[in-house]
Amino acid sequence: MSLRLSDLSACFEGVIPSIIATAAADGTPNISYLSHVVRVDEDHVALSNQFFAKTAANVRANPQVALILVDGFTGDQFLLDIGFVRSVDAGQLFDKIALQLKASSAQVGMSEVMRLRSADIFRVRRIEKVPSPVETTRSPTGRDSVSLPALSDAIRAIERQGEADEIIDSLLAGIQRVLGYRNAVVLIHDSHRGCLITTGSLGYDRSGLGSEIAGSEGLIGAAATSGQTIKVSDMSRVRRLGEAIGMEAEASENATRIVAFPQLPMVMSQIAVPMSARGTMTGVLFVESAERLAFREEDEAALEILAGQAASALRASEREAASAEPTQGAPALASEPAASGRDIRVVHHRVDDSVFVDGTYIVKGIAGTLLRLMLEWHLSDGRNEFTNREMRLAVGGRMPEIKDNLETRLLLLRRRLEEKQAPIRIVRVGRGRVRLEAEGALRFDGA
């Protein structure tokens, strides 16, 4: 049975470098390692060309090339007889390789050094398996194929949800149930501040809620800006993303407002999947595993389907909440202070809209602005119930994008207050309506 490139999918993950052998016009051989080999179709592969001047010169002088690919699961080696077709320095294929190279090399501070010059496309004439004294028969990762009925059930479960928290939780549950991954993060895009904010997570000792990733940082930032899925299949070759983000510092109002990104010890594989609907990027789904080569092609496709469904559901939720007109009645009475007469001190810093409750950092950005608004209305009007519509109108002039993601910002605020066990809670009491609850008398300082 003849081999096809699609049979060699584990060879294109970059876990074990490929080897290219070329010869100069006078027959002098040259051998180099390759960082990236990409399967274009069943007849062509593309090789990354960063700085191999000798290899490139040899290919132009003598287009007959030998390439060795290594299966990252089994160690099986395959010898390919290939011939140079053309070189491209622009277009979809070039962008895909350049993006993957930049994202992975940025983890080790080499994004400027490992810059892609071109993608060289070769026709594959023949594939031979290199004889080995060891027979390898184990199945990659030991997992079954993705169950289409299970995937369909997960999609329908997401579709049935009407609130942002339910949609995100359903997405994370589907990833665990259908694909077996135990560590995942959902980050929502904040166009006002140019970052992505952790709004849901699964399987970490610290949830990381409220942690932020710069809009162009690492795999997550690259997936967000490009709209393409990006993965690294062997993290032992790159630096851990979380090390570049910083440790959490929330002890006082003078501390840096940083929440640590959730970390998986001994992580080996990572994948960042854009959450897009109708051309609009809502956020990024980030999944990681302690296994090498954890994300097969079919897993990647399933994650993209689930992420897309969640993005559509979140946009629908925002539209429905924005159009909902809750019944207007008399203003609700302010909540009574606790019997102890405890005072709750809340400080809001306008420079970054960060909020501290009794000296503990809670949240910043739009979520912090929403809490400030509710506190001001509560103290001035004696109300403790508020509509999404009035909050959207109040901040829409300064933050136009609030119309698209108020629901997810309220979700982040609510979960951060719960996680920090703050004496203030935000409770959803109906479609487009929330209630502010406090365990004592509020003392607000708009610093």
Side-chain angles (χ1 to χ4, degrees):
M1 179 178 178
S2 59
L3 291 169
R4 301 173 302 169
L5 286 177
S6 56
D7 299 324
L8 279 55
S9 59
C11 297
F12 300 105
E13 297 292 342
V15 173
I16 302 176
S18 302
I19 301 172
I20 183 172
T22 61
D26 62 359
T28 304
N30 182 70
I31 296 176
S32 298
Y33 285 100
L34 289 166
S35 60
H36 283 72
V37 177
V38 176
R39 177 167 65 91
V40 179
D41 53 37
E42 286 293 5
D43 299 311
H44 298 86
V45 293
L47 281 52
S48 63
N49 180 0
Q50 290 109 269
F51 34 63
F52 300 132
K54 182 62 175 176
T55 297
N58 285 358
V59 168
R60 269 58 173 183
N62 182 358
Q64 309 308 310
V65 176
L67 178 68
I68 290 182
L69 302 178
V70 184
D71 187 304
F73 288 116
T74 65
D76 287 339
Q77 299 183 21
F78 301 89
L79 177 63
L80 279 65
D81 177 15
I82 60 178
F84 179 71
V85 177
R86 66 183 185 278
S87 180
V88 297
D89 57 8
Q92 185 176 1
L93 177 63
F94 175 84
D95 292 342
K96 178 180 178 180
I97 299 174
L99 187 65
Q100 180 67 51
L101 181 64
K102 180 179 180 180
S104 57
S105 60
Q107 306 278 57
V108 290
M110 296 185 64
S111 59
E112 295 303 316
V113 177
M114 300 286 285
R115 186 180 296 274
L116 185 66
R117 294 182 178 180
S118 65
D120 295 340
I121 300 175
F122 291 78
R123 176 177 292 278
V124 178
R125 301 190 183 94
R126 188 173 68 256
I127 304 174
E128 296 180 10
K129 182 176 179 181
V130 177
S132 171
V134 179
E135 185 66 27
T136 56
T137 58
R138 70 180 180 87
S139 172
T141 73
R143 292 191 289 115
D144 295 330
S145 298
V146 175
S147 166
L148 292 182
L151 178 60
S152 178
D153 288 343
I155 292 170
R156 286 197 297 269
I158 294 172
E159 190 177 36
R160 286 194 298 267
Q161 311 309 320
E163 303 290 345
D165 56 346
E166 298 168 344
I167 294 167
I168 291 175
D169 289 346
S170 184
L171 169 62
L172 293 172
I175 290 169
Q176 185 174 41
R177 184 172 61 255
V178 177
L179 299 170
Y181 298 124
R182 296 185 293 271
N183 300 91
V185 177
V186 174
L187 302 101
I188 298 299
H189 184 231
D190 185 340
S191 58
H192 179 68
R193 297 176 49 238
C195 65
L196 293 128
I197 305 173
T198 300
T199 311
S201 66
L202 169 72
Y204 296 95
D205 293 335
R206 299 178 68 121
S207 71
L209 291 173
S211 59
E212 300 178 359
I213 299 292
S216 59
E217 184 173 2
L219 266 67
I220 295 171
T225 55
S226 69
Q228 298 182 33
T229 297
I230 304 174
K231 64 180 175 179
V232 174
S233 296
D234 185 359
M235 287 295 293
S236 64
R237 300 179 64 194
V238 298
R239 181 167 55 87
R240 176 71 174 97
L241 171 66
E243 296 172 358
I245 298 173
M247 295 303 293
E248 188 162 5
E250 301 185 23
S252 72
E253 293 171 20
N254 296 319
T256 303
R257 284 79 151 169
I258 294 177
V259 179
F261 194 75
Q263 300 210 17
L264 174 64
M266 304 302 292
V267 62
M268 285 297 175
S269 301
Q270 294 181 329
I271 187 168
V273 183
M275 297 173 59
S276 300
R278 295 184 177 275
T280 299
M281 204 277 294
T282 301
V284 172
L285 169 63
F286 179 67
V287 188
E288 50 187 2
S289 170
E291 296 181 4
R292 285 185 175 88
L293 289 154
F295 306 108
R296 302 166 298 183
E297 287 185 353
E298 62 183 49
D299 300 326
E300 182 177 336
L303 288 172
E304 290 175 343
I305 292 170
L306 292 170
Q309 182 63 49
S312 297
L314 286 171
R315 283 179 59 81
S317 174
E318 291 287 353
R319 288 194 301 270
E320 292 172 10
S323 61
E325 186 67 57
T327 302
Q328 298 295 327
L333 295 176
S335 54
E336 291 295 328
S340 63
R342 172 186 182 183
D343 284 352
I344 302 170
R345 182 170 180 262
V346 182
V347 178
H348 171 264
H349 297 270
R350 285 185 179 270
V351 64
D352 59 358
D353 290 306
S354 58
V355 175
F356 292 78
V357 176
D358 288 340
T360 298
Y361 169 67
I362 301 299
V363 75
K364 62 183 173 183
I366 294 175
T369 298
L370 296 176
L371 181 56
R372 173 182 65 80
L373 282 173
M374 286 184 276
L375 290 170
E376 289 177 343
W377 291 335
H378 171 76
L379 295 172
S380 64
D381 304 337
R383 292 192 293 146
N384 65 347
E385 288 194 9
F386 314 95
T387 67
N388 293 11
R389 179 184 294 276
E390 64 181 326
M391 286 186 278
R392 186 176 284 106
L393 291 174
V395 299
R398 187 163 68 93
M399 303 174 181
E401 78 284 355
I402 192 67
K403 66 181 186 300
D404 296 326
N405 50 27
L406 185 140
E407 289 284 311
T408 53
R409 305 311 168 81
L410 282 172
L411 169 60
L412 172 62
L413 172 59
R414 187 168 74 245
R415 287 184 165 177
R416 280 289 291 173
L417 288 167
E418 292 172 354
E419 184 175 63
K420 305 310 291 184
Q421 298 182 329
I424 299 174
R425 291 176 297 278
I426 304 297
V427 181
R428 193 175 67 231
V429 293
R431 193 61 169 159
R433 183 186 287 274
V434 297
R435 182 172 65 238
L436 174 68
E437 296 181 351
E439 296 176 2
L442 294 164
R443 301 288 181 262
F444 180 64
D445 178 8

